[in-house]
Amino acid sequence: MKKQILFISAIIISSLFIYSCGGGAGSSSTTESSASTADDNASADNPSYDPDRGTGRFTTVDVGEHLDAAMADEGKKVFDVKCAACHKLTDEKLVGPGWQGVTSRHQPVWIMNFTTNPDEMLNKDPKAQAMLEICLVRMPNQNLSDAEARSVLEFMRKNDGVK
């Protein structure tokens, strides 16, 4: 009898854990500007959806040919506080994917949209969904400001060897 109660309790707790990690309709980000220049209803099924851009308020991101070292240093500080617990700077997966080569796999605008709008990107973007299938953990919204996200992008570029 005790074994049955323990077994049923374990199933219930496991079910609650899985349900709570699934992110429901109430888990969308509220940090996106109302003056968004992106189509908020874009999806992989929508022909206007651009998989190189993702979904979010950024439509272009200007990165120079050369690295902005000061911005990259600021990005390293943000990485240490908000990103390092889940991401390594190598290609090795920790909780999330490793960052080595990320700027060659994704366009700067996609990275900016993902870092500032992970909930919508995970709900709508096929590349983000593929990463979720591998990592099995949704990236939490770190509420990065646009400046923080841009500095993190510059740090990613530095990590990928941009000089």
Side-chain angles (χ1 to χ4, degrees):
M1 179 75 168
K2 285 185 180 182
K3 286 184 180 181
Q4 287 178 328
I5 292 173
L6 286 173
F7 179 72
I8 292 171
S9 297
I11 289 175
I12 291 171
I13 291 171
S14 297
S15 298
L16 289 172
F17 179 75
I18 290 169
Y19 177 77
S20 68
C21 293
S27 68
S28 65
S29 172
T30 59
T31 61
E32 188 164 334
S33 167
S34 62
S36 173
T37 58
D39 177 9
D40 293 336
N41 296 318
S43 72
D45 298 330
N46 184 340
S48 68
Y49 181 79
D50 182 355
D52 289 331
R53 187 183 71 75
T55 184
R57 70 180 158 275
F58 296 98
T59 56
T60 61
V61 176
D62 295 321
V63 294
E65 183 178 331
H66 300 288
L67 186 74
D68 181 328
M71 190 183 294
D73 290 343
E74 288 301 311
K76 170 77 165 101
K77 292 175 187 174
V78 175
F79 171 83
D80 289 340
V81 173
K82 295 189 174 189
C83 311
C86 296
H87 299 280
K88 290 190 174 191
L89 296 176
T90 64
D91 62 354
E92 183 180 355
K93 176 182 158 280
L94 188 56
V95 174
W99 279 12
Q100 185 176 4
V102 70
T103 59
S104 62
R105 291 189 304 271
H106 302 289
Q107 295 296 318
V109 69
W110 189 95
I111 293 170
M112 289 290 291
N113 280 324
F114 187 73
T115 57
T116 60
N117 191 29
D119 297 317
E120 284 298 308
M121 288 286 285
L122 288 168
N123 289 339
K124 296 179 180 179
D125 185 79
K127 288 190 266 183
Q129 291 170 349
M131 286 190 294
L132 179 58
E133 287 181 18
I134 293 168
C135 297
L136 303 175
V137 176
R138 290 179 69 89
M139 181 170 136
N141 189 336
Q142 296 292 337
N143 296 311
L144 295 181
S145 69
D146 293 353
E148 288 174 321
R150 181 61 182 88
S151 67
V152 167
L153 171 60
E154 202 67 6
F155 176 64
M156 289 175 169
R157 293 178 69 222
K158 179 179 181 179
N159 188 58
D160 285 344
V162 174
K163 305 251 184 231

